[in-house]
Amino acid sequence: MEWFEALALLLGAILFLMAAGMPVALAFLAANIIGAWVFMGGERGVSTLLNNGWGALTKYALMPIPLFLLMGEIFFHTGLGGRMFNAIDKLLGRLPGRLSYVTVLGGTAFSTLSGSSMGSTALLGSLMVPEMQRRGYKSHMSIGPILGTGGLAIIIPPSALAVLLATLAQIDVAGLLIAGVIPGLILAIFYIATIWLQTKRDPSAAPAYDVPPMSFASKLGLFLTEVVPMVGVMVVIIIMMIRGIVTPSEAAAFGALGVMILAAVFRCLTSEAMRKSITGALRVTLMAYLIVFGSATFSQLLAFSGASRGLVNWAISFELAPLVMLLVMFAVLLLLGMFMEQISIMLLTVPIFFPLAQTLGFDLIWFGLIMLLALEISFTTPPFGLLLFVMKGVAPPGTTMREIYSSAFPFIFCSLLLVTLLIAFPQLALWLPSK
């Protein structure tokens, strides 16, 4: 069988099963069994493939996923996230568009701890949109910052999706996590600048309102007690990884322990909050591990059948410049993001794109960050970006999908601008991991 026939069989089986309503991970598993039967010699091939898949689950690099998820769940269910948002809200005073800034600043800090774009968007949407609409904010000033900030969870560590991508691509987990720090902060600054421009262009879009005045000493005390401890957890674990003191798995454990200690200090670490946190983290962890199992066996089948090598050779036969090939891969990710959720995209593209990127001479950490940004943009790409529907689910009644789409576009532009900067100046991503 030719390589393109093998590729068509594997991808066709996956897409058919997904279209028939089968869950993504199970669709990959079923297609892998079919492929193993065809390419690896029937029952013996299936047995070999499954044994190799179990081996992929024993990788130490997967350990940060449940710990990062547990950290975010505790942060959410104990109410620490709400305390931090309330503090930032009071600190900004009577600033025009204040609640939009609160969304970006508080959302950026929350994203670093939650590691989940869907969780960030759901929390911000349920907390902030009703309040902003009550204050007379227009939809693009309330919905847009939330859609943008929710995506920051993908690239600012600790990011469970970054850990999963690094594991699937077999690249350095710590390197990819740390590479997202500077670009993530730049993206948050772009968002703040966007809000400032929107308020200058249309002051009525985010009307100011009176707030109780606070002395400088009160603001300083609020900042030190309600903001610094939460953000400090993220800063400490990043510094520990950069200095080589801990591995990503150990950093994730310290992060989860740190959030638990904070919750205990603030007297909000209840048994019910822990039960909900452990249940939520366990549910997502099991899904992630099943996905790793399916992806590992899928990659082996692509290699065994010759499909991955044939596809890479076919792609480089066009003799396109590496930058053009990068833009083609980026466009494919955006296109897939209109119709598929991000983990499915990773399962389909990582076994193909990373060997191609290596052949083209790209730094794989840098390319991994570009791919994460493409996934972040596809989260909010109309018509079927996942965060668009999460926002629709938590937005006040009467919010239309058209309003959500139009609110997302300025923040999509910010992300595209960041990608342009990373292509022009790769050291924005690579300098910090090199330290």
Side-chain angles (χ1 to χ4, degrees), residues 133-156:
Q133 289 195 350
R134 188 175 69 84
R135 297 288 185 180
Y137 281 54
K138 293 183 179 180
S139 59
H140 68 277
M141 294 298 297
S142 59
I143 294 173
I146 295 174
L147 289 174
T149 306
L152 284 171
I154 297 180
I155 58 174
I156 293 185

Side-chain angles (χ1 to χ4, degrees), residues 69 73 276-288:
L69 291 171
E73 292 285 336
K276 291 181 178 178
S277 300
I278 293 172
T279 302
L282 180 62
R283 184 183 299 112
V284 181
T285 298
L286 290 175
M287 179 189 71

